[in-house]
């Protein structure tokens, strides 16, 4: 096994250990047929255990693609597209009326295996999010028992939000819920695709940019 191929396999092992459970998405290659894409779609209210007073979060996801692509013989991390919209239904200040607070994420990474997926992208919030917290990682679990048992996790809850790297997500810690209005939504559908390792000579991906943990 060549050094570059070993580096790819080792890198995927690191992703799996960090939370991208299993392997399963596709990559785009310079030559040959296009690989199959992984997909994560759906809409659900989640009950976030870290906020017992105002626990409801809604995530609407439409994400398609894979974890990497090749451009002129070089591996480039991020080969996905789509959006994630999210809502925190809570008051602006304690004791006030609850309101919808929407944000969005531009997706650039999808990796899925079986019923589990990691979706990553950049938050599009104009205000209130420091630059080193713009990377968002989301995990989805489609339960075989039905969509009311689906689960989801997001990288600004339970884990440190600073300096998230593409594809490293938390466990899906929030359960599907009927939400603040008692209305179940459709849940999440995860469609995986085989992860294809490259063959032949290629350049490994660049290291991610350094990221400060200081307040910015």
């Amino acid at each position: 096994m060549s050094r570059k191929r070993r580096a790819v396999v080792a890198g995927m092992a690191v992703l799996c250990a960090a939370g991208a459970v299993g392997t399963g998405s596709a990559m785009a290659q310079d030559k040959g047929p296009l690989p199959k894409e992984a997909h994560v779609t759906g809409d659900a209210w989640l009950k976030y255990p870290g906020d017992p007073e105002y626990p409801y979060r809604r995530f609407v996801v439409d994400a398609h693609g894979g974890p990497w692509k090749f451009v002129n013989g070089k591996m480039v991390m991020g080969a996905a597209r789509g959006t994630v919209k999210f809502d925190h239904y809570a008051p602006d200040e304690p004791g006030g009326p609850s309101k919808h607070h929407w944000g969005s994420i531009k997706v650039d990474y999808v990796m899925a295996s079986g019923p589990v997926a990691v979706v990553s992208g950049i938050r599009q919030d104009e205000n209130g999010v420091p630059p080193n917290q713009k990377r968002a990682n989301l995990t989805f679990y489609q339960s075989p028992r039905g969509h009311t048992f689906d689960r989801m996790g997001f990288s600004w809850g339970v884990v440190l939000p600073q300096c998230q790297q593409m594809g490293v997500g938390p466990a899906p810690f929030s359960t599907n819920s009927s939400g603040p209005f008692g209305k179940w939504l459709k849940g999440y559908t995860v469609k995986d695709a085989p992860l294809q390792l490259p063959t032949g000579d290629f350049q490994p991906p660049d290291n991610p940019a350094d990221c400060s943990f200081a307040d910015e």
Side-chain angles (χ1 to χ4, degrees), residues 106-132:
K106 184 177 180 180
V107 172
D108 57 15
Y109 176 104
V110 174
M111 184 177 181
S113 178
V116 178
V118 178
V119 174
S120 189
I122 302 299
R123 292 182 63 165
Q124 303 298 298
D125 311 49
E126 294 182 0
N127 299 304
V129 179
N132 66 351

Side-chain angles (χ1 to χ4, degrees), residues 44-105:
W45 281 106
L46 286 302
K47 194 170 185 179
Y48 172 47
D51 185 0
E53 188 171 7
Y54 302 108
Y56 296 114
R57 311 290 197 275
R58 182 180 178 182
F59 287 82
V60 184
V61 58
D62 183 23
H64 311 267
W68 56 39
K69 60 186 176 182
F70 280 81
V71 179
N72 297 324
K74 183 179 179 64
M75 177 184 281
V76 178
M77 295 301 296
R81 64 195 182 280
T83 57
V84 177
K85 298 179 181 178
F86 56 92
D87 177 23
H88 182 192
Y89 189 69
D92 289 330
E93 55 185 41
S98 290
K99 299 180 180 179
H100 296 282
H101 298 86
W102 285 95
S104 66
I105 297 163

